[in-house]
Amino acid sequence: MHISEGVLSPGVLMVGGIFTLGGLFWGLKIIKTEDLPKIAVLSSTFFVASLIHIPIGPTSAHLILNGLVGILLGWAAFPAIFLGLIFQALLFQFGGFTTLGVNTFAMAFPAVISYYLFSLFKRHSKLLFLGAFLGGAQAIILGTIFISIALLETEKSFLSMVTALLTTHFPIAIIEGIITGLVVSYLKKVKPEVLK
Amino acid sequence: MHLEEFAEGNSLLHRIDPRIKIITFLIFCSFCSSSNHLKISFLYLLYGLFLLVIAKLKLKALAIRLLAANFFILFIWIFIPLSHPGNPYFEIGPFKVSLEGLSLALNITLKCNAIILATLSLLATSNIFSLAHALLHFKVPAKLVTIFFLFYRYITVMHEEYLQIKRTVVARGFVSKTNFHTYQTYAYLVGALILKSFERADEIYKAMLCRGFKGFFPLLEHFTLKKVDLIFGFLSSLVSILIWLKI
């Protein structure tokens, strides 16, 4: 879902960068020193999880799990996703440095929304799966919408590509929702204090 | 996982101060990404190739990286020339191909590859820890650099944990298919990894406290700027700017 170097116009890159800086600033401000290792190691785990390929019919898709990142980390999702994308750009050349702002915001802002969405559901243990499902699915859909806006603001003729992007991400959103729901139910069973 | 295969080497670019490399990289990126002309983008690609030759990177590994990175670009070549409204057109069978669309796709491809070449030759030639160190010198918040450092350190550890769980699952006859059972298995696998990371993070924090951690890593070794660093930084930035000014 991350846009490569050289695609977006400088204006769009700047706006994405400013939004991401805002999120990073707030995220870093509310992180306590004792939480630093937790956020770092969870980020590594999500980085590893994004290498897992899930079969969907004849093809496969890698996990994104930005909804789950949000549910577990809240605003700290901004630094976590930002650094994850830096490593992907540096180590695998996925995404890129100039598009870091746009890509981070497109993934991390929906993650923060998942955090608030899930907190509405988490007191009712029967609705836990539903809350996590919505959080996980919403994070992919909203993220794809942000990416689409960035592409369309750059170039109107990206429209057919944006349509393809949105249609292919719909099944991915459902699967991400199911997996997020299952992970949260598992955590609830095994170590409920993780979900606070 | 071998993550830093390009950081090993002894070329000029491997020896340049990482701070200088980060600055020249940022200058290169910001000018290159705002290029609208095919000729300018092509010159940036040539300059990227030139940096690559100085960095003496392993060609086979490099080719694999470039192929993977151009995957997204492939979609642009499929969609843009067919849907761009710009004239003139030429027709191939039932499809109308826009020339403007083609030049847009070509421009994106040139810029993308130029920046990737610069990333590989300027940033990937330093190891992650010296880049983190350089970030501290640039006054990047210590919290962010601390997460950066630990994040990178634990990628390989968590990847080994993942492989271990995966082996256990496969040993019990798990086959990955499109069904609920597969999704559940992967979800529980991720859940188990998350629990391991909570436990691991707790241990790390206690170990750090025992060693007197106060919220940041003190810098013990310092970079020293040499003449060659300054000359490289100056010339490299100059080239990036001159290309942009079409000189």
Side-chain angles (χ1 to χ4, degrees):
Chain A
M1 198 167 63
H2 22 232
I3 306 181
S4 313
E5 313 266 20
V7 180
L8 297 176
S9 68
V12 174
L13 294 175
M14 291 268 275
V15 172
I18 292 167
F19 282 167
T20 294
L21 275 182
L24 274 178
F25 176 78
W26 186 245
L28 287 171
K29 197 179 153 91
I30 60 173
I31 293 174
K32 292 184 215 105
T33 304
E34 65 254 39
D35 287 335
L36 290 175
K38 190 181 86 183
I39 288 156
V41 182
L42 274 175
S43 305
S44 327
T45 300
F46 286 116
F47 189 85
V48 169
S50 72
L51 303 173
I52 301 179
H53 278 258
I54 298 288
I56 308 174
T59 63
S60 70
H62 72 87
L63 288 176
I64 303 169
L65 295 182
N66 56 332
L68 187 62
V69 175
I71 289 171
L72 290 174
L73 295 181
W75 277 93
F78 263 95
I81 288 172
F82 177 74
L83 293 175
L85 289 174
I86 286 191
F87 286 126
Q88 290 202 331
L90 193 61
L91 305 171
F92 308 130
Q93 280 73 52
F94 292 155
F97 282 94
T98 55
T99 49
L100 210 50
V102 173
N103 287 337
T104 305
F105 185 79
M107 288 176 76
F109 188 71
V112 174
I113 301 272
S114 295
Y115 170 73
Y116 288 113
L117 191 68
F118 180 72
S119 63
L120 295 177
F121 287 85
K122 68 179 173 191
R123 278 188 214 96
H124 317 279
S125 59
K126 279 180 189 158
L127 295 176
L128 211 64
F129 181 88
L130 181 69
F133 172 84
L134 290 177
Q138 168 279 134
I140 301 295
I141 292 173
L142 192 60
T144 320
I145 292 174
F146 283 140
I147 292 285
S148 305
I149 293 172
L151 286 170
L152 285 179
E153 277 298 314
T154 299
E155 181 62 48
K156 290 284 174 283
S157 64
F158 281 146
L159 187 63
S160 58
M161 191 164 78
V162 164
T163 324
L165 196 73
L166 286 169
T167 10
T168 48
H169 276 79
F170 194 70
I172 295 178
I174 304 289
I175 288 168
E176 285 268 330
I178 294 173
I179 294 203
T180 309
L182 289 169
V183 173
V184 167
S185 322
Y186 173 86
L187 292 176
K188 177 78 184 171
K189 251 184 279 176
V190 183
K191 200 173 183 179
E193 64 268 30
V194 166
L195 300 167
K196 275 175 246 166
Chain B
M1 280 210 285
H2 185 41
L3 292 172
E4 293 175 291
E5 52 184 339
F6 296 117
E8 297 153 0
N10 196 26
S11 73
L12 173 71
L13 282 182
H14 286 88
R15 277 176 278 133
I16 296 279
D17 191 317
R19 291 175 295 176
I20 296 287
K21 287 201 281 186
I22 292 177
I23 293 172
T24 45
F25 173 73
L26 291 178
I27 292 175
F28 182 96
C29 273
S30 34
F31 283 106
C32 177
S33 64
S34 63
S35 148
N36 286 324
H37 295 277
L38 283 181
K39 210 174 107 191
I40 295 180
S41 307
F42 181 68
L43 286 175
Y44 277 114
L45 185 70
L46 280 185
Y47 183 49
L49 279 173
F50 171 72
L51 288 175
L52 202 69
V53 171
I54 311 181
K56 292 180 194 154
L57 299 178
K58 293 171 208 152
L59 283 178
K60 198 182 155 197
L62 189 81
I64 297 170
R65 296 295 189 88
L66 280 176
L67 270 179
N70 277 292
F71 186 69
F72 182 82
I73 298 296
L74 190 69
F75 287 98
I76 296 212
W77 278 92
I78 295 170
F79 284 106
I80 302 310
L82 294 178
S83 64
H84 197 278
N87 286 314
Y89 280 106
F90 65 89
E91 293 183 16
I92 306 176
F95 300 112
K96 279 183 172 177
V97 181
S98 152
L99 284 180
E100 265 179 51
L102 275 181
S103 86
L104 182 68
L106 183 62
N107 192 25
I108 289 172
T109 313
L110 291 174
K111 285 199 283 184
C112 175
N113 284 292
I115 297 177
I116 290 171
L117 293 181
T119 310
L120 288 173
S121 43
L122 291 172
L123 297 186
T125 47
S126 288
N127 62 46
I128 299 276
F129 296 129
S130 41
L131 289 179
H133 184 170
L135 289 181
L136 278 182
H137 281 280
F138 287 133
K139 305 275 181 257
V140 172
K143 274 182 186 171
L144 192 64
V145 179
T146 308
I147 300 177
F148 181 88
F149 179 86
L150 290 173
F151 183 167
Y152 180 69
R153 168 68 185 82
Y154 283 91
I155 289 175
T156 27
V157 175
M158 294 321 291
H159 189 244
E160 272 160 28
E161 295 273 14
Y162 162 66
L163 291 179
Q164 197 181 353
I165 304 177
K166 186 83 194 282
R167 265 201 300 277
T168 326
V169 172
V170 171
R172 287 170 192 172
F174 169 72
V175 186
S176 176
K177 286 186 197 135
T178 308
N179 55 24
F180 186 73
H181 177 71
T182 301
Y183 296 158
Q184 194 172 32
T185 309
Y186 278 119
Y188 286 6
L189 195 158
V190 172
L193 278 179
I194 289 173
L195 291 185
K196 283 188 186 233
S197 26
F198 272 103
E199 284 158 16
R200 176 77 68 160
D202 211 36
E203 288 166 18
I204 297 167
Y205 187 60
K206 281 177 189 151
M208 278 158 64
L209 281 183
C210 292
R211 288 160 178 78
F213 181 69
K214 289 192 190 76
F216 59 91
F217 291 115
L219 293 179
L220 297 178
E221 286 169 44
H222 289 279
F223 296 125
T224 42
L225 273 182
K226 287 189 288 290
K227 219 181 236 170
V228 58
D229 296 323
L230 292 172
I231 294 172
F232 172 80
F234 177 71
L235 286 181
S236 177
S237 316
L238 191 69
V239 173
S240 299
I241 295 168
L242 286 183
I243 294 177
W244 197 74
L245 294 171
K246 296 186 214 173
I247 296 168

